[in-house]
């Protein structure tokens, strides 16, 4: 069983910055990858950024150069530093993790989501 808890969402002005964090807990043997997805009104869920245990990263084209994903493997935590925020970044951001449990089973977990609103 794996739980993911996001934090850091809120209201920020265009051009501002905001940091999100997501901590994974439970029967975790290892986390192969963690990532952030977002769901904006009227749009489908999209991958924002992902990072593997080895540090390889992937970003959506829309956030490259503005967002940075990082990971603390010891804390089973992933972070998303968001800068130069735009109104179109407004969305519910979800944390995702692909894990191997202590029973050596593959499992995918999702957080409850945290709302980021970019507005004046």
């Amino acid at each position: 069983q794996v739980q993911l808890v996001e934090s850091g969402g809120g209201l920020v002005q265009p051009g501002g910055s905001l940091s999100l964090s997501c901590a994974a807990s439970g029967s975790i043997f290892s986390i192969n990858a963690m990532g952030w997805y977002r769901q904006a009104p009227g749009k489908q869920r999209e991958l924002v950024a992902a990072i593997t245990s080895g540090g390889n990263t992937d970003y959506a084209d829309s956030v490259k150069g503005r967002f940075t994903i990082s990971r603390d493997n010891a804390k089973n935590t992933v972070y998303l530093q968001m800068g130069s925020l735009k109104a179109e970044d407004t969305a519910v951001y979800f944390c995702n993790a692909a894990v191997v449990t202590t029973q050596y089973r593959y499992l995918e977990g999702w957080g409850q989501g945290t709302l980021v609103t970019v507005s004046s």
Side-chain angles (χ1 to χ4, degrees), residues 2-5 22-26 28 31 34 75-78 97 99:
V2 177
Q3 295 82 41
L4 301 174
V5 180
C22 172
S25 62
I28 300 171
I31 301 179
M34 300 186 77
K75 296 182 178 180
N76 289 335
T77 300
V78 65
V99 311

